[in-house]
Amino acid sequence: GAGVSQSPRYKVTKRGQDVALRCDPISGHVSLYWYRQALGQGPEFLTYFNYEAQQDKSGLPNDRFSAERPEGSISTLTIQRTEQRDSAMYRCASSLEGLAGTDTQYFGPGTRLTVL
Amino acid sequence: DAKTTQPNSMESNEEEPVHLPCNHSTISGTDYIHWYRQLPSQGPEYVIHGLTSNVNNRMASLAIAEDRKSSTLILHRATLRDAAVYYCILRNTGGFKTIFGAGTRLFVKA
């Protein structure tokens, strides 16, 4: 079956512009995670959704970052007034059940964001 | 959040077993031990997880110390396709925040 998909795969933007990154989880998956990954480092947790409820947003770096999942399926991560330090790979993951501690996360291919 | 410590890198010969260690001395009773790996230019993929007992699946085995302060991921016969960064992660049943760390980069020699 289809895995997690993300779009766009690559995004180049100018400093100060807003960007919206989309994640399409595996159909029927309850949980959705967003991560940011800098080159040579492990993924950094940003936020977590259980269905449409954003249950943990403790990893969002500042108020320029926001995420939503209005119908409990597709999710959008929005970065306002982008800065060069926002350049990174943004990854989305989904899991079938909302079982804290034990769920298996399936990762998408990521969106490579470059802020000029 | 409970942290894990892993060697930065390890090297193995093809078709030999590989033991990837992980220390988690501050682990709590409700922390599960997960391993993910990330192949070059791909997203992380799940390998295995456990709580107290050793676990086996088609990809690997997970050996957990009796005091749970360390664990070892075992790849029984390394192949070139196993070259990746391996992450040892503690995930608590009280929440969903997942801390990856830097992982161990495994090099496999032919």
Side-chain angles (χ1 to χ4, degrees):
Chain A
V4 177
S5 61
Q6 293 186 244
S7 60
R9 293 292 309 277
Y10 301 90
K11 177 70 177 178
V12 180
T13 190
K14 292 184 178 179
R15 188 178 52 189
Q17 296 294 306
D18 298 350
V19 295
L21 311 180
R22 173 181 165 134
C23 173
D24 239 303
I26 295 172
S27 178
H29 276 202
V30 166
S31 296
L32 189 145
Y33 301 77
W34 280 100
Y35 294 88
R36 177 170 69 175
Q37 187 169 21
L39 205 59
Q41 297 184 24
E44 173 193 8
F45 172 86
L46 295 178
T47 188
Y48 166 77
F49 288 86
N50 181 276
Y51 292 104
E52 71 282 359
Q54 189 174 20
Q55 294 192 342
D56 188 334
K57 54 181 182 179
S58 62
L60 296 176
N62 51 60
D63 59 9
R64 295 187 297 106
F65 287 73
S66 63
E68 63 175 9
R69 194 186 183 198
E71 297 180 0
S73 178
I74 294 167
S75 177
T76 302
L77 176 70
T78 301
I79 309 173
Q80 296 179 313
R81 306 180 302 282
T82 52
E83 301 177 5
Q84 287 185 327
R85 60 178 173 157
D86 299 333
S87 296
M89 178 72 82
Y90 288 83
R91 296 194 186 275
C92 167
S94 69
S95 68
L96 179 60
E97 299 169 332
L99 297 175
T102 61
D103 65 339
T104 296
Q105 297 180 37
Y106 296 87
F107 282 79
T111 295
R112 168 74 64 191
L113 175 66
T114 302
V115 182
L116 301 177
Chain B
D1 300 309
K3 292 184 176 179
T4 63
T5 304
Q6 299 177 254
N8 290 334
S9 65
M10 291 185 64
E11 199 172 82
S12 171
N13 294 315
E14 198 176 12
E15 298 191 6
E16 289 186 357
V18 182
H19 291 231
L20 297 165
C22 181
N23 287 319
H24 28 79
S25 58
T26 58
I27 192 170
S28 75
T30 51
D31 283 330
Y32 280 79
I33 302 161
H34 288 247
W35 285 81
Y36 280 73
R37 72 179 186 180
Q38 188 167 18
L39 302 171
S41 301
Q42 294 189 27
E45 65 173 343
Y46 169 81
V47 178
I48 201 166
H49 79 278
L51 183 63
T52 56
S53 304
N54 294 344
V55 184
N56 299 295
N57 66 22
R58 62 174 182 81
M59 288 183 72
S61 295
L62 176 60
I64 301 173
E66 197 169 332
D67 64 4
R68 303 214 317 132
K69 295 189 176 189
S70 65
S71 61
T72 303
L73 179 71
I74 302 165
L75 307 179
H76 295 287
R77 286 179 71 244
T79 70
L80 296 178
R81 293 189 306 172
D82 291 322
V85 178
Y86 287 78
Y87 298 100
C88 170
I89 303 157
L90 299 183
R91 300 194 60 207
N92 192 274
T93 55
F96 293 88
K97 188 171 185 175
T98 309
I99 308 298
F100 270 78
T104 296
R105 182 171 295 278
L106 176 65
F107 297 93
V108 180
K109 296 185 298 183

